[in-house]
Amino acid sequence: MNIALADTSALTTAETLMLPLFADRPAPLPSPFEALAQTPGLSEASAKFKETGLFYTLPGAPCRRLLTVGMGDAADFSLDKLSRALAVAARVARDRLCERAGVLLAGLPEIESASAPRIVREATVALCLGLYAFKLLKTTDEAPADPKEFLLLPDENASREKLSAALALGLAEAEGVCLARDLVNRPSNHASPAIVAETARELAARHGFSCRVHGRQEIEAMGMGAFAAVAQGSRAEPAFIVLDTDPDGGKPLVLIGKGVTFDTGGISLKPAAKMEEMKSDMAGAAAVLGCLETLGRLGGGRGERRVIGLLPCTDNMPDGGSVKPGDVVESLAGLTVEIVNTDAEGRLLLADALAFAARLSPATVIDAATLTGACRIALGVHYAGVFSPSDELAERIRVTGADVGDRFWRLPLDELFAEELKSDTADLKNVGRREGGAITAAMFLKRFVPEGASWAHLDIAPTSFVDAASDLWPKGATGFGVRTLAALARGQG
Ligand code: BES
Ligand code: MN
Ligand code: ZN
């Protein structure tokens, strides 16, 4: 599927025009579309939010069909509503076998946050994400094919250069999100640590980033005892993946992504119900890779802000060789950890990745992890948790996320909770009490954060994998966090 900027002359008589309709104002039909107002039935078209209609135009019209898209009241217009309505309309266009569709983006109600380039960026993302489907493993597929092309028709007074940059940004963001969705939707036998590593290597090669992959032996030899303990129960070779956008660059932004390619819980085995969803336990790693894909497509290599991605990847399995509840391991930071519950494995991987990050003199460290079911219980399925000792960083993440459709809500990091992590046998244990489980997990990580770095932890367990589709999220993987991380890395947030 292709998305391009066009002007009105690009529409031929064989095409469909997507037309946003507002309840409280006439259809925005700028020249040369005025005559389309005569289209039979158009006056009955619903402007109710997300309702669509298909109308055949009169002979001689600049396009053959109109696909109306209800936007509700102009007074309530927002970028979020535009995105949701366009995602819905893109699916209708597919179902109605549109090959090429114009998308009229001129004449939308003026709102502060939505310049013409911003509208182009969001429309691009919405059309791509609206049509996303995970088809990799289907050998038969009856679903209709995607439209071949969308032609965006923005306000013609806007700067072409800015519109083109906005289109490129939207496409890069959509590619990043779709890459993350694909990785997360892949079952573990199609997304082993080795396969994630191969994806990372291929991504790095395409964008001129460096990529190193450390296997089991090196993970152990480096002293990553916490990570190694999780990996020891799995026959699949673990991978500690290090991607660097600019190895000669300055102090990096380090992004750490939890990459548990399947989480059975280990010896503290999870119940069978919905265990298959634990293929999504590498959504943090996928979000970091998606972010790097976006940055790479935008040319974010040498000379741009340096970003390092750290992806500790392994399955968490029960086995004769598995780590057992009560075992004590030595982490890379030197702290000993009593593994009371082998299902609290994410924080063990992240502890060693954080200690590794300390060697990179990072300015900022952000980790993204499907860390706790407790976070989902606390926040529900629309918001992810953000934890940071820095009010400024926490707020920046919240605001940046809200701007790109990733909702974050701050939860407390308070030493009161550290009490629960005291161990009788080691420096700390890996679980506290059930209540406030997302917070104790964050407090555990805080013990390993590099000194002097600004740090935030994103618990994306609530939002990474959903059991029902909504306008912009399909059922399954959402790609949550990709756009936020990319916007933060690009210094826009
Ligand atoms: N990967 C899970 C967290 C999770 C749960 C992610 C549901 C997505 C959806 C994590 O490794 C885990 O098992 N956490 C435990 C921690 C507990 C043992 C302290 C949990 O949340 O139950
Ligand atoms: Mn677990
Ligand atoms: Zn897990």
Side-chain angles (χ1 to χ4, degrees), residues 258 260 262-265 270 278 280-282 316 342-347 349 370-372:
K258 171 178 172 182
V260 173
F262 196 85
D263 183 10
T264 67
K270 285 182 183 295
M278 281 300 119
S280 69
D281 211 18
M282 32 62 73
N316 182 25
T342 65
D343 197 11
E345 83 296 340
R347 62 200 76 181
L349 273 58
T370 47
L371 205 61
T372 65

Side-chain angles (χ1 to χ4, degrees), residues 212-214 219 222 224 227 238-242 310-312 353 356:
R212 283 216 56 185
V213 179
H214 306 276
I219 290 163
M222 273 192 277
M224 293 185 161
F227 181 10
F240 187 75
I241 305 166
V242 184
L310 302 180
L311 315 177
F356 186 93

